[in-house]
Amino acid sequence: MLGATGAVGRELLELLEERRFPIAELRALASARSAGTTLPWQGSSLTVQECCSEAFDGVDLVLASAGGSTSRTWAPAAVAAGAVVIDNSSAFRMDPEVPLVVPEVNPDAVWSHSGVIANPNCTTILLTLALAPLQARCPIERVVVSTYQSASGAGAQAMEELRQLSRTVLDGGTPRSSVLPHSLAFNLFLHNSPIDASGYCEEERKMIRETRKIMGLPDLRLTATCVRVPVLRAHSEMVNISFREPFPVQEARDLLAAAPGVDLIEDFEANRFPMPTDVTGRDPIAVGRIRQDCSDPTSLELWLCGDQIRKGAALNAVQIAELLLGAPSP
Ligand code: A2P
């Protein structure tokens, strides 16, 4: 496991244990900074090693969650050593040779790999889980999505910064961020990834490109606005979906309630819909407030929440590994 000490790496360790993934030997790899530290594993502990090319000798599978540049450096060495790499970074996602997989949506894509399989962007995974069952019933023409993204998407240090700066504000101090560009404590800001000349940030461009690739819809019209909110580890999304023809709301509700990896949380009378706290630490995403768009007869709207570290990253990667082992798609 490359990036074992990070937020996603730690969740991967928990999931491998929880799902009894068959492992003969597990190597916990990270940077020199954490070499020699230990991580809990199967009632005992694992000693973290600094990543080096020999670290992949005899390894069948690498779960990588250490950022794009680290993956670019080490994935080729791991593949050359005979391993399959399931990479959580954006380094290879749009490479035409690399499958980009959400097991509930495009499980068969795993078999086209040449050593690397990419785990999609977290917001994209959550979005495609809701879009795919609807697309199977009626072609989607256009998607407009706004995200409300937690600190976890920026890593374990960003989560810790949110905790600390929230305490600072409660104590009457002035929060000063160093991990994220602005303090997230009692605040929100547009996603901090680089913006290009089109006015879209990298996170928004990832959502657009990756959704098209996963769903096999290269011409899908999709626009996204990504926002960071002061939530620790679950993302939310408001999604407006235009179909080729009108889509009955009840049918969408039934399809989503039956969809793999999706729970319906919807009580209009009680005004109770998915919240980040409903999905934190849980596998399925939650969808609700499915309604007709009052401005367009062929569009529906829905709200969703999903645990960014779990289904948005670690769980999806473990499910891909399970597909490789021959498990039926979820
Ligand atoms: P380390 O803890 O040694 O810095 P997160 O996204 O939660 O911040 O986690 C990033 C993960 O990637 C951590 O496990 C981190 O290890 C690891 N990492 C970062 N840079 C490197 C690198 N150059 N080589 C190996 N692992 C790295």
Side-chain angles (χ1 to χ4, degrees):
M1 183 179 303
L2 176 56
T5 52
V8 175
R10 286 168 188 269
E11 193 76 14
L12 280 166
L13 288 174
E14 274 183 34
L15 279 164
L16 292 173
E17 201 170 328
E18 182 185 311
R19 295 168 78 91
R20 297 176 197 278
F21 193 86
I23 295 172
E25 186 201 348
L26 179 64
R27 292 181 199 157
L29 307 174
S31 77
R33 287 181 291 276
S34 43
T37 60
T38 58
L39 293 167
W41 173 244
Q42 292 184 332
S44 174
S45 64
L46 268 178
T47 302
V48 178
Q49 304 169 37
E50 180 182 358
C51 190
C52 60
S53 45
E54 297 76 44
F56 304 111
D57 288 347
V59 168
D60 297 315
L61 178 69
V62 175
L63 296 172
S65 56
S69 62
T70 308
S71 285
R72 264 184 231 102
T73 304
W74 294 117
V79 173
V84 174
V85 177
I86 300 176
D87 182 35
N88 200 51
S89 81
S90 60
F92 306 105
R93 288 180 190 151
M94 294 314 296
D95 182 331
E97 304 295 312
V98 173
L100 184 63
V101 180
V102 178
E104 293 87 345
V105 178
N106 61 339
D108 296 340
V110 283
W111 302 114
S112 64
H113 78 82
S114 324
V116 178
I117 300 171
N119 205 39
N121 165 271
C122 46
T123 44
T124 309
I125 293 175
L126 309 182
L127 177 66
T128 58
L129 281 177
L131 294 184
L134 304 178
Q135 162 71 20
R137 152 73 174 73
C138 181
I140 294 173
E141 302 258 293
R142 180 167 184 252
V143 179
V144 180
V145 56
S146 301
T147 70
Y148 305 70
Q149 300 186 215
S150 59
S152 58
Q157 288 182 318
M159 295 171 77
E160 188 48 32
E161 179 169 278
L162 173 58
R163 287 190 195 94
Q164 281 180 6
L165 295 185
S166 298
R167 278 185 215 111
T168 304
V169 173
L170 288 172
D171 291 344
T174 305
R176 292 190 210 293
S177 65
S178 57
V179 180
L180 289 168
H182 313 285
S183 167
L184 205 47
F186 302 94
N187 191 23
L188 57 80
F189 49 86
L190 282 155
H191 198 280
N192 44 297
S193 53
I195 299 183
D196 73 4
S198 68
Y200 283 80
C201 71
E202 180 61 26
E203 184 81 351
E204 293 158 352
R205 297 197 298 275
K206 281 180 192 170
M207 279 195 90
I208 294 166
R209 292 190 304 245
E210 294 183 25
T211 302
R212 289 177 177 154
K213 180 169 174 175
I214 295 161
M215 296 189 68
L217 300 172
D219 300 320
L220 179 66
R221 292 190 295 144
L222 193 155
T223 181
T225 305
C226 295
V227 180
R228 275 219 194 277
V229 297
V231 171
L232 273 177
R233 57 173 281 169
H235 288 350
S236 304
E237 302 180 26
M238 186 68 212
V239 193
N240 183 294
I241 313 158
S242 300
F243 297 90
R244 192 169 292 167
E245 46 196 61
F247 200 133
V249 174
Q250 189 55 45
E251 204 173 324
R253 188 169 288 131
D254 293 344
L255 285 167
L256 287 166
V262 179
D263 280 350
L264 191 68
I265 299 182
E266 193 168 63
D267 184 340
F268 282 86
E269 261 176 44
N271 206 341
R272 177 68 169 88
F273 304 105
M275 298 187 286
T277 46
D278 291 323
V279 295
T280 296
R282 297 200 60 231
D283 289 355
I285 67 161
V287 173
R289 212 161 199 242
I290 305 160
R291 65 186 182 192
Q292 175 72 54
D293 175 345
C294 68
S295 70
D296 179 7
T298 59
S299 298
L300 294 180
E301 296 192 303
L302 59 85
W303 170 255
L304 65 84
C305 298
D307 186 309
Q308 184 272 329
I309 307 181
R310 214 165 172 96
K311 183 55 187 171
L315 173 64
N316 199 73
V318 173
Q319 287 174 318
I320 292 172
E322 289 170 347
L323 284 180
L324 290 174
L325 284 184
S329 28

